[in-house]
Amino acid sequence: MLSPNQKTMKNIRNWAAMLLLTGLVASCTDGYDTVNTNPNQPTEVGSEALVPSAVRSSVNAHANMSYLVGNNITQLTAKTLRREVDLYQWNSFNNFVWDPLYETLRDVESLHTQALAEGNTAAQGVALVLRSWVYSTLTDAYGDIPYTEAIGADDDVLFPAYDTQEDIYLGPNGLIATLDEAAGLLASSSNTLNGDILYGGDTEKWERLANALQLRMWLRVSDKVPSQAASGLQALYSEGRLMTDVSDGGLLTYLSTAPNQFPTFPLKIGDFDAVNISARAVDSLSNWNDPRLEIYARPANAPLAADETPNYAGFENGALEGGGSRLGYRYYNYPGHATSQEMAKGIIMTHAEQEFILAEAAQRGMISGDAKAHYNAGVLSSMLQYSAETLFPYTSVNGETFATPADYLAQASVDFDSAEDKLNRIAAQKWVALYFTGLEPWFDWRRTGLPAFEPSINNENGDVVPVRFRYPGDELTLNTANYQAAVSRIGGDNINNAMWLVQD
Amino acid sequence: MPYFLKPLGTLKVKKKNHYMSSFKHFFRPILLGLGIILSIASTNAFAQDAELVTGQVVDAETQQGVLLATILFLDGAGESLGGQTTDAEGFYSLEIPETAARIRVSAVGYNDLFVNLPLQDGDVLELQAEVELLDDLVVTALGFKRDQKSIGYSVQTLDAQDFSSAKETNLVNSIAGKVAGVQITGSSNGVAASSNITIRGESSLTGNNQPLFVVNGLPITNGLTSPGDGLNGSSTIDFGNAASIINPYDIESISVLKGPAAAALYGTRAGDGVVLITTKTGQNAAEGVSVDFTSDLLLSTILKTPDFQNTFGAGAYGRRDYETGTQYFGTYDAFGENWGPRMDGRMVRQYKSGGPAPFVPQEDNFTGFFDTGVKNTNNIALTFNDRTSNFRMSFMRMDQQGIVPNSDLTRNSFSLNGGTTLRQRVRISGNMNYIDGGSDNVPNAGYDESSSIMYGWMWYPRNLDIAKLEDYWEPGQEGTQQANHESLWTNNPYFLANENTNSYQRQRFIGNLQVEFDITSNLTARFRSSGDINNEARQFRRAISTRGTSGERGSYQEDELYFKETNQEFLLTYSDRDVTKDFNFEVSVGANAMRQEASELRSFADGLVVPSLFNIGNSLGDISTSQYKQEKEIQSVFGLAEIAFQDAIFLNVTARNDWSSTLPSDNNSYFYPSVSLTAALTDLVDFDAPWLSFANVRAAYAEVGGDTDPYNTRNVFNYGNVWGGQFVATESPLLRNPNLKPESTTSIELGTDLRFLENRLRVDFTWYDIRSKDQIINLPLAKTTGYEAKLINAGEIQNQGVELLVSGTPIQKQNFSWEITANYAKNTSEVVSLADGIESYLIVADMYPADGGQDLSLEARVGEPLGQLIGLDFKRVQSGPYKGEIIHENGLPVVNTGEKVSAGTYQPDFTYGFGNTFRWKDFTLFVQFDGRVGGNIFSRTHTMLASGGGITNKDDERLGSILVGRVELPPLNYDANGQPARDANGNIIWGDPVNSGSFVGPGVMVGPNGEFVDNDVEVATRDYVYRYYNNIFNRDVITTGTYENTWVKLREMRLTYGLPNEIAESVGLKYVNVSAVGRNLLLFTDVPSIDPEAFSIRNGRIVQGFESTSLPSTRSFGLTVNFGL
C-alpha cells in the first residue's frame, strides 16, 4: 500500500515517463523525410525522356483533331453519327483542341527547361519548334490565347493573360521569331539529340521542319502583312534549308502495337464508323482518277468478293443518313478484314504542303520560284507519301489506267498549265494533300476561301461555315478576368467571329 | 453464451444480468476477484485486531436480501484493504481492518453504496437497484466503456440484436436507418458492393468522408479498396469497401461516435466520426463451453425494374431492317435503339430468325436475363469461459450468387479471441480475424461496354429474344468471335457475364494483442499492438471480339494490392473513483505509433495473341506495368481526463498531438484538444415531477487536425507509355506543394437526454456545428497554366444539424409488448469559402469520362451546400407568365451552352428511420422503415434508357410518356424474306407515311412578333428525347435527368420465434430460434427507372448524387435458424 506521499512520487514518475515518451516521438520523426520520399516516380528526368512525350502527345492531339474536326469541316470526311461537327453545333466541343494542346505544352516546356539545364541546344531547338507549332494551332483555332504567361503554374502564374494574335505571330517572342531561333539552334548545335522518335536524332531534319513551319506561318499572315511575309518567305526560300523530299516531312511513324498506334486504331468499330469518306472528297478524287481515294477510304463493298470492283461511296456532310465508305485500311484494322501493310502516320507538316505553299507564294509573286514546278512536286510528294511506287501503275475507279505519276499530272483536271484559276488548282490539290494534317485544311480554306465548298446540309449555323472555336468553359470559371478581357477585345466569343488573321 | 443467441423474449432479463454498467463497474470484476482473494488471505492476519460486525445487505425497494454483494474496505486515501462477500440471503459478517475508513458495497444490478465506518451490528445496508435503461454502457474512444449519462457528446450504440439475423453481405448496410445522423447509402453495384457511410454530413472537399472503423481497438480505414476505375474511366467495378469484410456474426455491438468530439482521440482519420465495432468474446459468456450455430438462406430478386415499353421495337424513325447487324445506316440494320416500327406482329427478319418473323415485344427479356440471387451463410462459434480465462472461436462460410449470371462471392472468416488473467494483476487478451474471400466475377455497373451488363440494357431492343443470345459464340468461331444481334456497339450480355469477368481474391488478417497490468489498484498500464494486413489480387478479362477494347483484340489486366497498417499503443490510466463521494476522477496518458505500407502492381496486356488465354505474357501489344508504393507514419501522444462530481456532473477533457510523415517536416506537428461537460439534472435536483425519470444535458467542443496523403510535397514526373525501347516521362499535371500545413476541424455540440414515465419514453436531442478549415485540396487550374491543379490549404465548410432519437414502449404487457424507435436527422452544409478568387471547386470534374460535351461535374460552390450537381440547362424564359419554361427552336429545346448551372445538391433535407418491435409470447416481429427527403440525384440510367427509347417514360412527370405520337417516316414494306421490299433496281419501295402524329415538347418558342408562345412544332420523338435528356451525345445537360431524391423503404421485416426452452432442451439444445426475414421489401419513390439509393465510383471514391447505369437493386428474403449446444 502506498502512502499519499509515495503516490505523489509515483505520479511524478508517471508524468516524467510520459514526457520522455513525448521526446521519443519527436525524435522518431527525424526519419520522416525518408518515409515521405516518393519511391514511385522521379523528380527529375533527362531531355531524352521528354522529347518522345512532347512529340507523341502533340502529334496524337493533332491526329485526333483531324479525325474529329479538321477532315470533316472541309468535307474530306463526314460524320455519320454525332454529327455536331458537321451541323456546326460547335458550342459543346470547344475544349478538345484547347485541352490536349495546353496539356502537351506542359511537356514541351518541361523539355525546354530540361534542355536549358543540360545545355543541350538541339533539344532546346526541338522544344521551340514544337512550342511554335502547337501555339499556332491554338491561336488559329481560337484567336487571342494565353501565350507569354501560359504554362506558368509552377512559377505561381495561376491566371495567365491572353496575348493578341498579332503579337503571338509577329511579336519579338512570337511564333515566327521562335522558329527562326529554333532553326538557328538546330543548325549550330553539336549536341546529341536522344529520344527523337520523329527524326531519329537528325537535327538537320528538325531544322528543315522549323523552316517549313515558318513558311506556313508567313503564308498565314500574308494578307495581314504582305511585304513582311513576302520577304520572310523569300529569305527562307533563298536560304534553301527546306525539306527536300517526303522523308524530310514531319511524319511520325507509329509502332505496330498499342498504345503507340495511330490514334484511331484503338476505337470501337461503331465509333470508327462514325466518320466516313465524304461525298465531296469522293467526287474530287474520282474526278481526278486519284489513286489516293483507295488510300483515304476503303470500298463500301468491303470485304470484296473476288470478281467485284471496289465501289466508293461518299457521305454527304450533315446528312441524316446514307451509306459511305469507311476510312482507309491504314486507319483501322477490322477483325477479319484486309489490313494495310503500313499504318497511318502522324503529321506535323508534310513536304507536299511545303511545296504547295511555295507554289502559292510563287504564283502570288512573293517568292522567285516556279509555281508549276512546286505544284507538281507537291502533288507527287503527296502521292509518294502514300507509297506511289505501289500505287502506279493503277486503274482508277473510272476504269482509266495510269502508268506513272506524270500521266496523272497530265490530266486536264489536274494539269497546272490548263487551269484557269491557278490558285484554286493549287488549293484543291493542297486540300486533298492535307488529309489528317491537324486543322490545316480548315485554316487554309479560311484564309483563301479556296477551294470553295457548300456549307453542310442541315447545318444549324445559318449556312455559314464556322471560322473559330469558342473558348472552353474552364477559362470562364478558372481564368475569369483574363477570359473576359479577351472576349470583349475580340467582340464576343462566337464561332463566326473573324479573328485578326482573317479580318479585312 | 453470447446473449444475442438467446430467445429474444428473454433479452430483457439477460440485459440486466449482462454484467456491464457505469464506468466505475469497469474495474469491479477485478476488484471483486482481488477482494475475495485478499479477504481469504487476510482472514487470519486481521482476526486478532479486528472486531466482528454482522448485518444484512438488502434491496432498498423490496427489502429482500441481496445475493453475493461485495463489501470492500477502503482506507482514507481510497485504497482497497480487501473485502468480503455476503451470503445467499445478503447477510454479512465482517472483520473490519483498523485502517479502514469506509466500505463500498456493490452487487450486480445495483448502484454502489459507500458507507463511512464504523458500522453497528445489525446495520441494514440498502442498495438501490440500477435503473435498467440507465445502464446503457457504451464503448467509447480507446475502448473505454462509459455510462451513457457521463458522455458529453452523441454516441449511439447498436447491440447485436439490432442486426441479428440474415446478415447483409456488407455489414454497414445493417446500420441503415437505425442511427440518427448516420446516412448509409447502399448500392446495387453487384455482389461485393460498397456502402457509403457519412456521419453528420460531408465536410471534405477532397471527397473522402468515410468515418474511421475501429474493430476491437484496431483502426481500419473503410476506404474503397479500388484505387482506380478499372479499365476505363466509366467503370464502376465495386470490389467492396474495407469494413464490408467483418463477419457480422462476430459482432457484439457497434458504437457510432458522431462528430469530432467523440472521436478526437482517434486523431486525424476520425474527423468524420468513428464506427466502433466490438466483437464477441468469451468474457461475458456463461461459464463453461457453449456452441452456437447459425444458418441463413437468403434469396434476392429485382426490387425495381425500369418501366420498359412494349410498343416499339429496334430501329430508328419507324424503320427497321435486319441483314447482318453490321451497318449503322442501310435501313437501320445495326441501329441499337428502340425507335423502330410498332411491334404489331408485322413479318420482319430479325436476329437469328432465319427469315420473316413476327415483330413482337419480348416483354420479359430484361427480367429473364437476371437470375434469382442466392446467399447461404453458416456460422459456428465455440465459446469457453471460466473465472480467469476465456476464448471464443468462430468460423463463417458465405456463398453468394448474384442476380447477374455468373457473378458470385464467397467468404471464409475465421476468428479467435481469448483472454486470461495472471496473478490477478495482469490481463492478457488478443484477437485475430482471418478473412479469405473472393469472387469469380464482380459485375461492372458503369457505362463501360467492355464488361458492363447495364450498358447494353440501355439499348437492347425490346423485340430481342434474349434467349437467342445465350449461345454467345458465333457458330464455328467459338472462342474468337462473340455472337450478338448487332456488331457495332454493344456486347452480348451472356458473353460479358461469362467471358469478360472481373475477379478478385482477398486475404485479410486483422489482429491485436493487449496486455493490461494493474500497477496498483488505481494505476493501470496497457500496451496494445495491432496489425491489419490485406493482400488482394484482381483480374480483369476481356475476351477477343469485345467491343470497347483496343481494336477489339481483348485484353487482360492483373492487379496485385497490398496494404498493411500497424499500431503500437501505450496507455497509462490513473483512476480514483473514491476520492470522496462527490468527486472522482480518472486520467489517462498514452502514445501511439501508426505505420502504413501500401503497394499496387498493375500489369496490362493490350490485345491477346492466343484467344481466351488470359495471361500477361499473352500480349499482342507492349505489356504495360505500373507500380505504386506508399508509406506513412503518424506518431501521437494523447491524454484524457474524466472528472465526475456527485456521479452526476462529468467533465471530459482530451488532448492529442500528432506528427505526420506526410506533411512538410517543419510543419508536421499539430495539436488538438476537446472538452465536454454533461450533467444528469435529475440526479442533482429533485424536480418533484414523477413523470420525469431522467434528464441530462451535455455540451462539447472539439478540434481534430488532419494531414494529407504521402508524397504531396514534391512534384514528380509520371511515366508515359514506353515508345518501343524509349523511356518516356511527362511532368505530373498535379502540382504538389512544399508549404502545406495541417487541416483543422472544430465542432461544438449540445444535447439532452430526457426520459419520461418510468423510462417508457425517451427523447435524445443533439445540435451540432462543425467547421472544417484549411483543407488540403487540389485547387483546379485553368489548362492554360499547364497544370490541372495545385495542392493548397484552403476553404471552410460548415455543417450544422440536429439529431433526434425517440424511443418508447406504448404497450408493455406480460405477453405482449410494442416498442418504437424513431430517429430523425437534419444536416445543412455550406461552403463558406474556397481559395482566394475561387467561387467553385470541382470535387469530381468529369462524372462520365467517356462522354464529350462540357461534362457533368460535382462541385463545391461558395454559399451553397457542399456537393452541387453541375451541368448545362436549356434556355428558359426569364420572366412573365411563361417564366421557367424551356425555349424551343424548330421544335427542339435549345441548350444554353454558355453557362453551367447547378441542379441542386445531393444532400438530403433530412433522413429518418422508424422501427417497431412487437413481442407476443415467443414471437418477435421487427419492422423498419427508413427514408430520406430532399436532395437530388441525377439518373444516368433514366436518361440513357429514354434516349434508347426502351421505356415508356411515364414515370418522368416532366416529360411524360414518349410512346404517344411517335412519328414514323415513310415506313418500309417487307418482302417475303422479311426484308425491305425493293424494286428491280434495288431501290427501297417506301410505304405511305404513317401519320401517327409526333412529339411536341412542353415549353415555348418565339412567336412571329418575338413574343413567347406555346411550342407547337412537331418533331421526331427520338430527336426530341435525345436532345432533352442528353444533349444528343454530349450528355452534358444536368437539369432534365435530375430528380428529387425522396424515398421510403421498407428496409427490414423480421419474424423470430424462440422455441420454448423446455422443448429445446428436450432435444438436447440450449435454445433454438427461427427467423423469417426480408430486406428492402418495398420502395416508394418518384425517381424514375432506378432505385435512388445509389452512388457512383470515380477515381477510387464514392460519389453521391450521380447514378451511373447501376444494376437493378434487389429485395431479399429468407430464413435464419440458430441454436446453441
Side-chain angles (χ1 to χ4, degrees), chain A residues 33-368:
Chain A
D33 276 347
T34 320
V35 174
N36 206 36
T37 296
N38 192 327
N40 303 301
Q41 293 151 296
T43 49
E44 263 182 50
V45 294
S47 61
E48 72 280 1
L50 295 166
V51 171
S53 59
V55 171
R56 180 172 61 189
S57 61
S58 55
V59 173
N60 280 356
H62 280 81
N64 278 323
M65 67 184 81
S66 297
Y67 177 71
L68 294 169
V69 183
N71 291 342
N72 295 302
I73 186 62
T74 53
Q75 302 179 3
L76 281 160
T77 60
K79 297 284 301 219
T80 61
L81 175 69
R82 304 179 190 193
R83 297 172 300 140
E84 297 91 322
V85 169
D86 278 350
L87 299 183
Y88 308 154
Q89 297 167 344
W90 282 25
N91 290 324
S92 287
F93 61 92
N94 43 17
N95 47 357
F96 73 83
V97 174
W98 187 277
D99 288 1
L101 290 184
Y102 274 107
E103 274 165 32
T104 205
L105 282 166
R106 184 180 65 253
D107 292 333
V108 171
E109 296 308 324
S110 293
L111 172 61
H112 188 244
T113 308
Q114 183 61 26
L116 286 177
E118 291 172 5
N120 186 333
T121 49
Q124 189 191 344
V126 168
L128 295 178
V129 171
L130 293 172
R131 179 199 280 177
S132 280
W133 171 50
V134 171
Y135 275 116
S136 75
T137 302
L138 277 165
T139 185
D140 286 351
Y142 296 89
D144 294 359
I145 54 165
Y147 177 67
T148 50
E149 290 187 0
I151 322 298
D154 48 342
D155 295 323
D156 269 335
V157 182
L158 304 186
F159 307 104
Y162 286 57
D163 296 80
T164 65
Q165 192 171 47
E166 184 173 7
D167 284 347
I168 292 168
Y169 263 99
L170 301 171
N173 296 310
L175 303 176
I176 293 173
T178 302
L179 283 171
D180 200 42
E181 184 194 350
L185 286 167
L186 287 158
S188 63
S189 178
S190 56
N191 297 112
T192 309
L193 180 62
N194 287 324
D196 178 11
I197 61 175
L198 189 70
Y199 287 128
D202 187 337
T203 49
E204 194 184 323
K205 283 193 192 303
W206 275 103
E207 182 203 347
R208 292 176 192 279
L209 175 64
N211 288 328
L213 284 167
Q214 270 194 77
L215 291 179
R216 182 197 272 182
M217 291 180 202
W218 278 124
L219 191 65
R220 189 92 83 233
V221 296
S222 60
D223 292 334
K224 301 297 293 185
V225 285
S227 58
Q228 204 181 339
S231 60
L233 287 163
Q234 181 62 50
L236 287 160
Y237 189 63
S238 307
E239 203 183 351
R241 304 283 293 172
L242 297 173
M243 296 175 181
T244 53
D245 58 23
V246 171
S247 73
D248 280 349
L251 300 172
L252 178 63
T253 303
Y254 283 95
L255 305 183
S256 58
T257 56
N260 293 311
Q261 293 170 306
F262 190 78
T264 53
F265 266 69
L267 295 176
K268 182 160 69 169
I269 292 177
D271 287 327
F272 182 75
D273 286 356
V275 174
N276 281 179
I277 193 79
S278 75
R280 181 178 175 224
V282 171
D283 286 353
S284 294
L285 290 167
S286 59
N287 183 33
W288 299 339
N289 294 299
D290 198 308
R292 284 170 294 185
L293 179 57
E294 293 170 52
I295 301 291
Y296 290 1
R298 65 184 85 200
N301 48 346
L304 298 179
D307 56 349
E308 236 177 331
T309 48
N311 154 28
Y312 293 88
F315 192 96
E316 186 168 9
N317 291 78
L320 180 64
E321 58 182 316
S325 293
R326 291 155 161 170
L327 302 193
Y329 297 107
R330 63 182 63 204
Y331 301 99
Y332 196 76
N333 277 344
Y334 286 88
H337 286 206
T339 55
S340 170
Q341 292 302 305
E342 195 183 346
M343 193 185 309
K345 292 185 165 62
I347 301 174
I348 297 174
M349 183 176 173
T350 61
H351 171 251
E353 184 190 344
Q354 173 192 289
E355 294 305 307
F356 288 119
I357 291 168
L358 295 174
E360 181 187 336
Q363 184 65 32
R364 287 167 60 188
M366 293 190 286
I367 60 166
S368 52

Side-chain angles (χ1 to χ4, degrees), chain A residues 7 40-41 107 156 268, chain B residues 449 574 629 718 722 730 790:
Chain A
K7 265 182 69 182
N40 303 301
Q41 293 151 296
D107 292 333
D156 269 335
K268 182 160 69 169
Chain B
E449 62 269 52
Y574 183 83
K629 291 185 272 192
N718 293 333
V722 171
T730 175
K790 179 175 183 172

Side-chain angles (χ1 to χ4, degrees), chain B residues 375-392:
Chain B
K375 186 170 81 154
N376 180 225
T377 317
N378 292 290
N379 190 71
I380 185 162
L382 177 74
T383 313
F384 167 81
N385 188 22
D386 70 9
R387 282 191 171 270
T388 53
S389 305
N390 64 77
F391 75 85
R392 180 178 186 276

Side-chain angles (χ1 to χ4, degrees), chain B residues 154-158 175-184 198-201 256-259 764-766 768 802-806 822-826 911-913:
Chain B
S154 176
V155 179
Q156 198 174 335
T157 297
L158 298 174
I175 311 173
K178 294 191 170 87
V179 183
V182 177
Q183 194 192 336
I184 313 268
T198 51
I199 300 178
R200 292 186 175 168
V256 181
L257 312 187
K258 302 176 214 166
D764 190 296
F765 175 81
T766 307
Y768 60 85
V802 294
E803 291 156 7
L804 181 66
L805 186 70
V806 179
N823 66 70
Y824 165 92
K826 180 177 173 60
T911 58
Y912 60 93

Side-chain angles (χ1 to χ4, degrees), chain B residues 507-519:
Chain B
Q507 289 92 37
R508 190 156 189 196
F509 173 85
I510 305 172
N512 68 40
L513 191 64
Q514 175 176 309
V515 179
E516 242 179 319
F517 178 66
D518 294 332
I519 300 168

